[in-house]
Amino acid sequence: MTTKSALVLVDLQNDFMPGGSLAVPDGDAVVKVANQLSSIFPVVVATQDWHPANHGSFAASHPGKKIGDMTTLGGLPQMLWPVHCVQGTHGAGFHPDLDTTKITAVFHKGTDASIESYSGFFDNAKKRATGLNDFLRQKGITDVYVGGLATDYCVLYTVLAACELGYKTFVIKDLCRGIDADKNDCIAAYTDMIKAGATIILSKDL
Ligand code: VGL
Ligand code: ZN
């Protein structure tokens, strides 16, 4: 079987960068790696967290609750976040140094206020697809290489979904940074990704 690879850049948005409202430590360090890799893949796509201002994952949408509290959203346990990646705002935009010229399609997630959507493929209840799977299938993609922000949320869920959808799935470790709200979250995320069938690599291996 012939393989065809796509690079999937997860949420390289200002709000996840140092200074952003949901900053991932050292998150901007991956932009350079993303730019280097973009030129060597035949297909490059990106996701953007793209929330309405009243999204149910925001603590501000739940009077009396604060950032880091848990609630339920769409029947699922939900961590409450600061307001981030509101559609059309600066925080939702790509990091200014990201080379977007090689990105052929951008997929938005988290657009429905009533459900969280960590995966770039579908929401947490798996009710609605973003279009990423259809796009990759249409391009004949068999192998996906994933990296971005944050390792322990959107990268994790995107990788698990890719494995479940039958892609040969690679995680590019130096293209990822995590939140580690609990100190071993990223280690646990890598363990879960490996268990699901993903292979962890470094950009220098490509
Ligand atoms: C993300 C928390 C909330 C992510 C998105 O991109 O990892 N994390 N929304
Ligand atoms: Zn979000």
Side-chain angles (χ1 to χ4, degrees):
M1 199 188 77
T2 58
T3 64
K4 192 172 173 193
S5 301
L7 178 65
V8 179
L9 300 172
V10 176
D11 298 3
L12 298 180
Q13 296 166 270
N14 291 314
D15 272 340
F16 296 124
M17 301 292 171
S21 66
L22 181 33
V24 178
D26 201 34
D28 54 344
V30 308
V31 172
K32 194 179 71 187
V33 182
N35 291 344
Q36 284 163 356
L37 291 178
S38 286
S39 57
I40 69 172
F41 278 86
V43 174
V44 183
V45 300
T47 65
Q48 283 183 322
D49 212 29
W50 199 250
H51 297 308
N54 64 344
H55 195 265
S57 72
F58 299 163
S61 303
H62 303 268
K65 296 255 182 208
K66 57 185 195 312
I67 292 161
D69 285 353
M70 295 298 293
T71 187
T72 56
L73 187 64
L76 299 171
Q78 176 69 47
M79 165 85 110
L80 290 173
W81 301 108
V83 172
H84 64 278
C85 296
V86 172
Q87 298 169 3
T89 64
H90 172 78
F94 287 123
H95 187 287
D97 296 339
L98 181 69
D99 177 5
T100 57
T101 60
K102 306 279 183 352
I103 298 173
T104 49
V106 178
F107 297 89
H108 288 151
K109 61 194 183 54
T111 56
D112 179 346
S114 67
I115 188 78
E116 181 60 283
S117 192
Y118 291 140
S119 160
F121 287 95
F122 37 66
D123 64 74
N124 287 15
K126 297 186 182 168
K127 285 202 176 121
R128 221 189 295 171
T130 59
L132 175 56
N133 186 40
D134 287 345
F135 178 89
L136 295 175
R137 296 271 183 238
Q138 203 202 346
K139 296 270 182 206
I141 300 297
T142 54
D143 297 12
V144 298
Y145 290 74
V146 184
L149 307 174
T151 312
D152 36 353
Y153 289 94
C154 291
V155 172
L156 169 64
Y157 278 68
T158 300
V159 166
L160 296 180
C163 290
E164 191 178 315
L165 290 164
Y167 294 99
K168 187 156 176 48
T169 307
F170 298 85
V171 186
I172 306 168
K173 198 169 184 185
D174 53 321
L175 181 58
C176 299
R177 291 293 186 280
I179 298 172
D180 267 343
D182 284 325
K183 81 172 188 320
N184 288 323
D185 283 354
C186 287
I187 291 170
Y190 282 116
T191 304
D192 288 349
M193 292 189 267
I194 291 165
K195 254 189 225 159
T199 303
I200 314 300
I201 61 165
L202 294 172
S203 62
K204 69 174 170 54
D205 301 329
L206 290 166

